[in-house]
Amino acid sequence: MGKFKKIFYSQKVAPYVFVLPFILSLIIFWAYPLISGIVMSFQEINFGNRTFIGLANYAKLAKDKFFAIAVGNSVEYMLLTLLLMIPIPLLLAVLMESRITKAKGVWKVIMYIPALTSVVISGMLFRMMFSESAGSQMNQLMLFLGRTPIAWLKEKWTAWIALLLLCMWRWTGVNMLYFVSGLKAIDGSIYESADIDGANAWQKFWYLTLPLIKPTTIYVVTISVYAGLSMFLESFMLWNGNSSPKNIGLTIVGYLYKRGIEKNDLGYACAVGMVLMVIALAINVIQLIATGTFKKED
């Protein structure tokens, strides 16, 4: 017993003991599933029977029109969410940290509450709000404006309004708090110097706030790229299933679920997942290189 105690109290062994839970979690919940997914993407799996088929799944993906639709929808959704979920939360964060805003803590709580709501509940609420019935909230608004009720979730541009509003409702507060944290890290004396030099609010925002909050912006963009490409449950709940009119709500993860779970084609689903991973990595690496994140500091 004394020997084991001496080992665990050793300054050389103790660090490894502390990091062991992280290493085990990384191996069990990340490395093993990743390696298994890569291997399975080269196999045909039927009720537990595995057959190595080489690149057949990937060759099939290249000709799969539904996969092409899913990739197009996911990339489009990602780009639209980036256009909405970066500038709007940033401006709200700047406003939140300005002197004109009172009861800042209350507003931060109000903005963050939607993120605590289950995606399932949120999707059901928005499905009812955007229902094609005349009694739905959005069609009531259309009637108030003198327009006729429309089938919101049956046409792409109206359905995507619902999808993007759902995304903004849930995640604007979260991104805003990321930016608030970044703004708090900026030394206030920099703005005081700018005031002395006669800089106006726009000049301080453009020449000081944006460059100084760049690390936070890169982080938010990175997680937003992944979140946009991996979106599934929002679409699933909005259309009450994995089927939408003309596949307007079909995403890469939705197609992975359709092939892997609904059609029990796990090998093909793993190939879909590998392509998703490559797309997400490629986009993030490109944006990290473009923003100079990989450059060595002088």
Side-chain angles (χ1 to χ4, degrees), residues 76-177:
E76 186 177 352
Y77 176 82
M78 178 204 69
L79 293 175
L80 290 173
T81 53
L82 287 177
L83 291 175
L84 294 171
M85 298 302 296
I86 304 299
I88 294 177
L90 175 57
L91 293 176
L92 288 174
V94 172
L95 180 63
M96 194 67 63
E97 290 300 295
S98 67
R99 298 173 183 174
I100 64 174
T101 304
K102 307 299 180 183
K104 296 178 181 179
V106 175
W107 286 111
K108 290 175 184 178
V109 170
I110 293 173
M111 293 293 294
Y112 189 76
I113 285 177
L116 302 177
T117 308
S118 167
V119 184
V120 174
I121 302 300
S122 303
M124 291 175 62
L125 290 174
F126 272 76
R127 185 170 72 242
M128 291 186 289
M129 285 173 56
F130 285 89
S131 169
E132 61 184 281
S133 67
S136 66
Q137 286 89 339
M138 295 306 296
N139 276 335
Q140 285 291 310
L141 177 61
M142 296 295 289
L143 291 172
F144 177 77
L145 296 174
R147 308 295 293 273
T148 57
I150 60 177
W152 291 89
L153 301 180
K154 290 186 177 180
E155 296 296 332
K156 183 170 182 177
W157 74 274
T158 52
W160 277 57
I161 289 175
L163 198 58
L164 292 171
L165 285 177
L166 173 56
C167 173
M168 291 181 64
W169 181 75
R170 294 199 75 243
W171 299 115
T172 297
V174 176
N175 285 1
M176 183 196 74
L177 291 180

Side-chain angles (χ1 to χ4, degrees), residues 127 232-242 257 262:
R127 185 170 72 242
F232 164 61
L233 196 53
E234 290 89 341
S235 174
F236 188 91
M237 294 309 303
L238 196 62
W239 277 280
N240 196 26
N242 204 23
Y257 179 88
E262 296 178 0

Side-chain angles (χ1 to χ4, degrees), residues 19-258:
V19 301
L20 184 61
F22 169 75
I23 294 174
L24 290 176
S25 299
L26 184 69
I27 294 173
I28 296 172
F29 298 108
W30 187 81
Y32 175 71
L34 176 62
I35 295 172
S36 296
I38 294 173
V39 173
M40 290 169 66
S41 69
F42 296 101
Q43 297 175 333
E44 181 180 4
I45 304 172
N46 292 315
F47 302 103
N49 296 320
R50 301 188 179 192
T51 305
F52 181 78
I53 57 174
L55 296 174
N57 284 328
Y58 293 96
K60 186 178 177 181
L61 270 181
K63 302 176 182 178
D64 192 335
K65 65 176 183 179
F66 295 107
F67 177 69
I69 293 172
V71 171
N73 287 340
S74 292
V75 172
E76 186 177 352
Y77 176 82
M78 178 204 69
L79 293 175
L80 290 173
T81 53
L82 287 177
L83 291 175
L84 294 171
M85 298 302 296
I86 304 299
I88 294 177
L90 175 57
L91 293 176
L92 288 174
V94 172
L95 180 63
M96 194 67 63
E97 290 300 295
S98 67
R99 298 173 183 174
I100 64 174
T101 304
K102 307 299 180 183
K104 296 178 181 179
V106 175
W107 286 111
K108 290 175 184 178
V109 170
I110 293 173
M111 293 293 294
Y112 189 76
I113 285 177
L116 302 177
T117 308
S118 167
V119 184
V120 174
I121 302 300
S122 303
M124 291 175 62
L125 290 174
F126 272 76
R127 185 170 72 242
M128 291 186 289
M129 285 173 56
F130 285 89
S131 169
E132 61 184 281
S133 67
S136 66
Q137 286 89 339
M138 295 306 296
N139 276 335
Q140 285 291 310
L141 177 61
M142 296 295 289
L143 291 172
F144 177 77
L145 296 174
R147 308 295 293 273
T148 57
I150 60 177
W152 291 89
L153 301 180
K154 290 186 177 180
E155 296 296 332
K156 183 170 182 177
W157 74 274
T158 52
W160 277 57
I161 289 175
L163 198 58
L164 292 171
L165 285 177
L166 173 56
C167 173
M168 291 181 64
W169 181 75
R170 294 199 75 243
W171 299 115
T172 297
V174 176
N175 285 1
M176 183 196 74
L177 291 180
Y178 285 136
F179 284 119
V180 167
S181 299
L183 291 173
K184 287 185 178 296
I186 300 175
D187 189 350
S189 62
I190 297 176
Y191 292 106
E192 293 175 1
S193 300
D195 289 331
I196 295 173
D197 292 336
N200 57 37
W202 170 253
Q203 289 172 329
K204 287 188 287 186
F205 174 76
W206 187 259
Y207 293 106
L208 293 178
T209 302
L210 284 183
L212 292 173
I213 207 173
K214 180 181 175 181
T216 304
T217 304
I218 292 173
Y219 172 75
V220 175
V221 170
T222 301
I223 62 174
S224 297
V225 167
Y226 169 77
L229 290 175
S230 64
M231 189 274 291
F232 164 61
L233 196 53
E234 290 89 341
S235 174
F236 188 91
M237 294 309 303
L238 196 62
W239 277 280
N240 196 26
N242 204 23
S243 297
S244 55
K246 304 175 185 177
N247 292 307
I248 56 177
L250 182 63
T251 64
I252 300 177
V253 178
Y255 192 60
L256 186 155
Y257 179 88
K258 183 185 291 288

